[in-house]
Amino acid sequence: MKVSHNWLKNLVEITSTPEDLSEKLSIGGFEVESLEDCSENVNGVVLGKVLSVLKHEGSDKLSICQVDIGTSKNLQIICGARNIKPNIFVYVATVGAKLSAVNLTIKRSEIRGVMSEGMICSLQELGLEGSSEGIEIIDEDLALKHELGTPGSNLLLLNDFIYDLAITANRPDGMSVIGIAREISALLESTLNYPEINHKYGIHLLKGIQHCPEAITSDCIYTISCIDGVNGEKLSPKWLKDRIEKSGIKSINLLVDLTNYILLEQGQPLHAFDKHKLSNLIGKEVSPEDFSVRKANDNESLVCLDGKKYDLNGNITVITCCDKPVAIAGVIGGLETSVTGTTSSIYIEGAVFNPSIIRKSSKEVGIRTESSSRYEKGISYKNTIVAVTRAINLLEEYFSINLPIINTSNLINDEDSFIKLRRNRIHKILGPLIINDHFEKRNLSDIEIVDKLTLIGCTLINKEYGWDVVVIPNRSQDLTREIDLIEEIGRLIGYDRFDLNLPNPIKPGKLSSEQLALRKLKNGFIENGFNEVLSYSLVPEDKETLIKISNPLLLETSCLRDNIWKGHLEIVNRNIKAGQTSCFIFEIGNIFHKNPEIIQEEVLNGAIFGNKRFGKWVNSGKDNDLNYYQARGKLKEALSCLNIKIDDKPTDSIDYLHPGRTSKLIIEGKDAGYFGEIHPKLILEKKSLKQVYLFCINVTNLLGASTRKNKWIPIFKQYPIVPKMERDINFVFSKKFLISEITSQIRKTGKNLLEDVYLIDVFEDTKLGNDHISYTFRLSYRDKDKTLLDSDITSIHSNIITKVENCFNTKLRN
C-alpha cells in the first residue's frame, strides 16, 4: 500500500519527520518497506523564464536562449527543442543537478563553440512521463504564483514522501488512507480530521433479487446507484490525479479516478458501469433490479478491462445485468460496459463479497487487482454505504447531477456488539509498567486504557469489571476478542515499557519418551548415511481419491498427498541426473486418507539407491548396487537404535513395488509398513531411472513399540554362569513357509529351556524339488541354575521336532 505524506497530513496532524514516522509505523505493526522522496529526482531544477531565443550559427536545430532564474545574472542555455520560444516559463536544471531519469549530471559545457550553463527540461527528462514532445511549458497562471528560481518540486507538487507499507492479512484497515491516518493518530496521539460526508441520499432496499448465497452472506452487501449528468471526457483535478498516481494507480478520467480515490481513501472498492452501454447490452432501459451476483457458467466468457478474454467456469463469481456477465465480482470489470469519453450516465457499484469466493475467482483467472486484494483481506459491510455516499458527494462537486438513490441488497444493522474487557485481565496479561529508571512499577490506570482504545476509534462503556467496548467497523475484522483489545493497548503503549512477567516458579520442560525416540530414530538414520529431506504435502490432483483443499493457491498444490514415495522418487531421479552414484534419503511426514472421514497418518518414508562407498578402488570403479537383502540390512541398521523386532512378510499386493522383492513389515503382530524394490514397469516408463528401494513405516506403531517399558527402560540381567547346550536341526520345507513362522513355532514349543533359535544354513537343490528348500536351525538350551545334561533336553528337543514336522508337513533330515 503506497500513500502520500501530504495526503496523510490532510487527515491527521503529523508532528514528526517522515523518517521518524516510518520508524513508529514499523514498530506499531505497519512495516514501511521503503520511503521515497518525490523531490529527489528534481533537486537543482528551478522555475525559469525564457527571455530571448537566437538561432545557433553552427547548427540548424539548436537555439541559444537567455533564461532568467531569479539570480543577478541570466543563464545562457543551448536548447534543441522545437517548441522553445521567448516569454515562456520552463523548468531549468542548473549546474550540478542530477537527472537520474536520463542518467545525466548538468555541467557548464561548450556546445559547438557556445557556452551552455544549464538545461531546459521536459517532463520525460525529469522522470515524470514516459515520453515528451518537447520541453515542458509551465502554465502562466501557475508560474506567476511563484518567484523565478523557485524549486521545481514546489510547482510539480513533489515536496512529498511516499510510504510503501506492508499490510498484514489481519489488518485490512491498513489498506485505506483513513485507516493509516487513524493508526498515525494513535501512535502520535494527534488530532484526526475525517473528510466531511453529507448523508443526504435516499436508501432503497432491493427486494426479490437473487444473489449467490455463497458470495453475498449475512455480513456482506451489494449496492447499485444510478447517476445521470456526468461527462466521461472530464479529466481529474491536479490534487486528485496527484494522490492516486503517487499511490501507484494511473489516472484515466474523473469518473474512473474517483472510484479509485474512494478505494484508496476509504478502502472500499467501487466500480462504474456505463448506463447506455448496459442498456444496449440487454436491449432495454437498465434498472437497479437488473443487477445480480451469481456463479459463472462453464460456456461463458468475458472480455475485461485489461483487454483479455477470460473463459469463465463455476469457480468464478460474476456480476450480471439481466443474467449477462458484466464483471468478475470483486476482481475486474468488463470492457464492453466500461466508462469512456462518451459516458454521460453511470451505475456505481459498491459491495462487500465473501473473501473466499474473491480468492477463488482471482486465482482462477490468474489476476490480482487493488480491489481483489482488499476483498481477500476482508472489509466491513458497514462502511460500504458511507463510501458510496462519499463518492457521490465528490461527483456533485464536479458535475450537475440529480440526487441519486442508493439501492442496497440489505439494510445495515446499527446494533452494536460489545466486547467484554476486564480490568484485572489487562493487568494479569500485560503486567506492571516501569515508570522510571529506579524501576518503580504500577499497573495501567483506567485513563490510560480508555485513551489508547479511544485513539483507535473504540467506544468504551464503564462497567464494574472494566468496560464494554464497541469497535469501529474498519477494525471489526481483527478486534473480535478481549485478548485482541489487550494486545492493542500493549502495542500502543509500547511493550518495552512493561516489566518482565515470567512464570514463578519456572518449571523446566522435557521431551517425552516418544519425542526422544523420534530424535533417536532420526539420528540413527543420519549415522547410517541417510539424508533427511522435506517434501511438499500439497500435490496436484491426479486421482479422485485425493483430498482437495477448499482454496488452493495453485492447481499444482490443490490436494493433500496420500503418499510420500512419489516425491522421494523424484528426488532420487534428480540426483541420478546430477551424476550422483547413490542416494539414501528419509522423511518423517504426514499423509492423508479419506475413509470416509479424513485420516492423518504420520509415516517414516525413505528411498535407497546405489551403494555408498568411500573409494571406488574397492570395486574397481564399477557400479555395485545393493541387492534386496543388503538394502533391507541398511534399513535394519538405521532402526536398530530403537531396539525393536520387525518381521518381514512377502507380499505382491503393492502395485508400484516388485512383486517378488517386496515385504510387509510387521511390528508386534501388526502390519506397520513395507519395504521393497521399485516395480520394473516404472523403470520402463522412465518414472524411475534406476533400481530403487522404497520403505514406509507407520510412526505410531514404531514409537509405540519402542517406548514400552520393557524396551525403553533397559533391564539388566545377570550374566549366565552356566554353559549352554546347542543342537542343530535340519528340515526340508515348502517355500511357502516363512522363516519367522518356523522360528516362532520352535520358540513356543521350547520356551522353558530354549534360550535362542536362529537360522544357520539355507540349501537349495533340484533333488529337493523346485518348491522346497532346506533350512538348518541352531537351538540353544540353558538352565540358569545348573549345567544341563542330554537327558534334560531330550524331551523338549523331541517335542520341538515333532511339532515342526506336524505343523509344516516335513521330516527331520539326517
Side-chain angles (χ1 to χ4, degrees):
M1 173 72 183
K2 290 185 176 181
V3 61
S4 157
H5 182 80
N6 288 343
W7 190 356
L8 288 170
K9 285 200 298 185
N10 284 343
L11 296 172
V12 63
E13 182 185 355
I14 298 177
T15 55
S16 60
T17 64
E19 292 77 13
D20 289 341
L21 183 58
S22 296
E23 185 71 21
K24 286 184 170 66
L25 283 169
S26 296
I27 292 173
F30 283 176
E31 181 188 356
V32 179
E33 293 187 323
S34 65
L35 178 64
E36 179 186 345
D37 183 355
C38 297
S39 65
E40 186 176 2
N41 290 337
V42 294
N43 285 339
V45 177
V46 298
L47 172 63
K49 182 178 182 180
V50 179
L51 302 177
S52 64
V53 177
L54 299 175
K55 268 295 188 187
H56 193 298
E57 294 180 358
S59 172
D60 294 334
K61 296 181 179 180
L62 298 179
S63 301
I64 304 172
C65 306
Q66 296 295 321
V67 183
D68 183 4
I69 61 167
T71 57
S72 57
K73 181 184 176 184
N74 296 333
L75 299 182
Q76 179 174 279
I77 298 176
I78 307 299
C79 180
R82 293 180 180 179
N83 60 338
I84 188 71
K85 57 185 178 181
N87 298 316
I88 59 172
F89 294 93
V90 293
Y91 294 112
V92 179
T94 57
V95 174
K98 294 181 179 179
L99 303 179
S100 56
V102 289
N103 194 23
L104 178 66
T105 301
I106 304 302
K107 300 176 182 177
R108 291 183 79 254
S109 56
E110 189 175 297
I111 301 175
R112 298 198 179 185
V114 180
M115 185 61 66
S116 180
E117 302 172 304
M119 177 177 172
I120 302 174
C121 301
S122 67
L123 292 183
Q124 180 184 2
E125 290 161 339
L126 296 177
L128 302 176
E129 287 185 357
S131 61
S132 298
E133 294 296 327
I135 60 169
E136 176 68 7
I137 299 175
I138 303 170
D139 181 73
E140 189 172 347
D141 292 337
L142 173 63
L144 291 175
K145 294 178 182 177
H146 301 83
E147 295 182 358
L148 295 176
T150 299
S153 57
N154 290 8
L155 287 83
L156 293 165
L157 302 180
L158 293 179
N159 281 335
D160 199 359
F161 290 83
I162 297 175
Y163 302 90
D164 191 355
L165 301 164
I167 307 300
T168 53
N170 67 317
R171 291 295 303 272
D173 61 298
M175 298 296 285
S176 68
V177 180
I178 284 181
I180 297 167
R182 187 184 298 109
E183 181 72 10
I184 293 171
S185 172
L187 293 171
L188 302 182
E189 299 185 1
S190 56
T191 306
L192 187 63
N193 303 310
Y194 288 107
E196 290 185 10
I197 300 177
N198 190 348
H199 294 273
K200 60 182 179 179
Y201 313 116
I203 307 294
H204 174 250
L205 180 64
L206 292 170
K207 297 179 181 179
I209 296 180
Q210 295 297 320
H211 288 307
C212 172
E214 186 184 344
I216 306 294
T217 57
S218 59
D219 56 351
C220 297
I221 193 172
Y222 186 82
T223 71
I224 194 81
S225 308
C226 179
I227 300 172
D228 298 317
V230 296
N231 182 359
E233 292 183 341
K234 190 163 188 175
L235 298 179
S236 298
K238 197 160 186 176
W239 68 267
L240 177 58
K241 182 179 178 181
D242 177 68
R243 287 181 179 180
I244 66 170
E245 288 189 342
K246 284 178 180 176
S247 295
I249 298 178
K250 183 181 178 182
S251 175
I252 297 173
N253 58 44
L254 180 55
L255 294 176
V256 176
D257 290 355
L258 277 175
T259 61
N260 288 328
Y261 180 77
I262 297 301
L263 172 134
L264 294 169
E265 183 190 79
Q266 303 286 333
Q268 169 66 58
L270 300 178
H271 183 70
F273 298 100
D274 187 305
K275 180 181 176 181
H276 181 67
K277 291 180 180 179
L278 286 170
S279 298
N280 288 341
L281 178 68
I282 64 175
K284 70 180 187 72
E285 184 72 18
V286 66
S287 68
E289 288 76 13
D290 294 326
F291 290 88
S292 65
V293 183
R294 66 166 171 84
K295 290 290 184 181
N297 299 319
D298 289 338
N299 59 347
E300 290 179 316
S301 63
L302 181 67
V303 178
C304 292
L305 290 171
D306 56 4
K308 296 180 182 178
K309 181 180 179 180
Y310 294 95
D311 294 323
L312 308 178
N313 58 54
N315 291 324
I316 300 171
T317 305
V318 293
I319 308 298
T320 63
C321 187
C322 284
D323 207 40
K324 293 187 177 182
V326 292
I328 298 175
V331 180
I332 191 171
L335 184 63
E336 192 175 358
T337 56
S338 63
V339 171
T340 59
T342 60
T343 300
S344 59
S345 298
I346 60 172
Y347 270 96
I348 285 188
E349 171 199 81
V352 171
F353 304 102
N354 183 351
S356 64
I357 69 106
I358 300 301
R359 278 192 286 269
K360 285 182 182 178
S361 297
S362 178
K363 292 179 181 69
E364 197 71 27
V365 297
I367 55 175
R368 196 163 186 265
T369 60
E370 291 284 349
S371 295
S372 67
S373 64
R374 284 162 174 79
Y375 282 128
E376 287 172 17
K377 285 182 170 66
I379 57 179
S380 174
Y381 76 105
K382 292 185 177 181
N383 276 341
T384 303
I385 291 179
V386 174
V388 173
T389 302
R390 168 72 169 149
I392 300 173
N393 286 169
L394 289 172
L395 285 170
E396 277 194 284
E397 292 182 19
Y398 297 97
F399 302 105
S400 298
I401 62 174
N402 296 326
L403 291 183
I405 294 175
I406 300 174
N407 301 280
T408 176
S409 61
N410 54 288
L411 298 175
I412 303 300
N413 181 10
D414 292 327
E415 184 179 342
D416 292 325
S417 57
F418 297 97
I419 301 174
K420 183 179 179 180
L421 182 60
R422 295 165 291 176
R423 186 182 293 103
N424 59 354
R425 186 66 175 163
I426 297 172
H427 296 157
K428 182 177 180 181
I429 295 292
L430 295 178
L433 275 174
I434 300 174
I435 58 175
N436 55 37
D437 293 339
H438 299 292
F439 298 101
E440 293 182 22
K441 303 173 185 178
R442 65 167 176 82
N443 285 325
L444 285 174
S445 67
D446 286 3
I447 295 175
E448 288 172 311
I449 294 169
V450 171
D451 285 348
K452 293 303 177 185
L453 292 179
T454 303
L455 283 170
I456 60 171
C458 295
T459 303
L460 289 85
I461 301 172
N462 288 319
K463 296 290 180 179
E464 184 179 348
Y465 51 78
W467 303 268
D468 281 345
V469 182
V470 180
V471 177
I472 59 171
N474 275 354
R475 296 300 304 273
S476 60
Q477 305 293 321
D478 68 303
L479 299 182
T480 58
R481 305 166 299 165
E482 180 183 44
I483 192 65
D484 298 329
L485 296 173
I486 296 173
E487 180 187 359
E488 284 297 289
I489 294 167
R491 182 177 70 85
L492 294 172
I493 287 175
Y495 288 116
D496 56 327
R497 294 183 59 195
F498 290 95
D499 188 27
L500 296 176
N501 193 16
L502 297 175
N504 186 27
I506 300 176
K507 294 181 181 179
K510 65 176 183 178
L511 296 176
S512 66
S513 55
E514 287 78 11
Q515 290 170 321
L516 288 169
L518 195 63
R519 183 174 290 187
K520 187 186 290 187
L521 177 65
K522 290 183 178 182
N523 289 336
F525 272 90
I526 292 168
E527 288 164 3
N528 282 279
F530 285 78
N531 292 308
E532 185 176 7
V533 298
L534 181 64
S535 56
Y536 290 117
S537 58
L538 297 177
V539 295
E541 183 183 0
D542 56 5
K543 54 184 178 180
E544 292 184 358
T545 55
L546 291 177
I547 300 167
K548 299 178 183 178
I549 60 176
S550 59
N551 191 25
L553 286 171
L554 301 167
L555 291 175
E556 290 77 11
T557 55
S558 59
C559 298
L560 294 171
R561 66 184 176 190
D562 63 351
N563 69 77
I564 302 180
W565 70 267
K566 288 183 180 179
H568 286 187
L569 198 57
E570 290 178 2
I571 293 172
V572 172
N573 286 341
R574 283 199 296 269
N575 276 270
I576 292 171
K577 290 178 181 178
Q580 297 297 317
T581 57
S582 64
C583 181
F584 291 12
I585 58 174
F586 78 97
E587 176 180 356
I588 295 174
N590 293 317
I591 57 176
F592 306 86
H593 306 283
K594 197 171 185 179
N595 191 27
E597 294 83 16
I598 295 176
I599 299 171
Q600 178 176 303
E601 180 186 358
E602 189 176 21
V603 295
L604 164 66
N605 222 99
I608 299 173
F609 156 69
N611 192 1
K612 289 194 173 185
R613 294 182 183 274
F614 286 109
K616 291 187 176 181
W617 59 270
V618 177
N619 56 3
S620 303
K622 297 179 181 178
D623 289 338
N624 187 18
D625 293 340
L626 300 176
N627 61 34
Y628 175 89
Y629 299 102
Q630 290 172 322
R632 178 65 181 85
K634 290 290 183 184
L635 178 60
K636 182 179 179 180
E637 286 176 12
L639 294 172
S640 62
C641 59
L642 294 183
N643 191 31
I644 57 174
K645 186 175 184 297
I646 300 179
D647 296 319
D648 292 54
K649 186 177 181 179
T651 182
D652 58 1
S653 62
I654 304 175
D655 58 1
Y656 52 88
L657 295 179
H658 195 299
R661 299 176 187 172
T662 301
S663 62
K664 289 185 178 179
L665 304 180
I666 311 298
I667 300 175
E668 296 182 331
K670 297 178 182 178
D671 186 356
Y674 63 78
F675 177 88
E677 182 184 318
I678 197 75
H679 200 291
K681 70 179 180 181
L682 296 182
I683 299 177
L684 292 174
E685 293 170 358
K686 301 297 183 184
K687 293 180 180 178
S688 177
L689 301 180
K690 294 280 187 176
Q691 176 182 301
V692 178
Y693 298 95
L694 303 173
F695 60 87
C696 179
I697 306 174
N698 183 284
V699 171
T700 302
N701 292 356
L702 200 61
L703 299 183
S706 65
T707 55
R708 301 199 191 285
K709 276 191 176 181
N710 61 336
K711 295 286 185 182
W712 189 248
I713 302 173
I715 300 174
F716 296 96
K717 296 180 180 179
Q718 185 177 358
Y719 197 79
I721 58 174
V722 295
K724 65 182 177 180
M725 294 185 69
E726 293 182 337
R727 295 288 185 272
D728 293 347
I729 54 175
N730 176 259
F731 296 91
V732 175
F733 294 93
S734 171
K735 288 184 178 179
K736 68 180 181 181
F737 297 119
L738 302 178
I739 297 291
S740 58
E741 295 175 342
I742 301 169
T743 55
S744 177
Q745 188 61 54
I746 294 173
R747 290 179 193 279
K748 287 180 184 178
T749 309
K751 60 183 176 182
N752 290 332
L753 294 177
L754 184 65
E755 184 181 68
D756 198 8
V757 57
Y758 50 93
L759 183 71
I760 61 171
D761 184 62
V762 178
F763 176 71
E764 289 185 84
D765 195 279
T766 53
K767 294 179 182 179
L768 301 177
N770 293 331
D771 296 331
H772 288 77
I773 189 168
S774 171
Y775 294 139
T776 301
F777 297 94
R778 177 160 293 165
L779 283 64
S780 300
Y781 298 95
R782 194 194 308 264
D783 189 323
K784 63 179 181 178
D785 297 323
K786 66 175 185 175
T787 301
L788 291 172
L789 302 175
D790 282 344
S791 57
D792 296 325
I793 66 169
T794 300
S795 175
I796 294 175
H797 193 67
S798 298
N799 287 341
I800 291 172
I801 293 171
T802 303
K803 196 70 174 178
V804 170
E805 288 177 339
N806 294 335
C807 290
F808 300 101
N809 192 23
T810 184
K811 286 290 183 181
L812 181 71
R813 297 183 69 202
N814 294 326

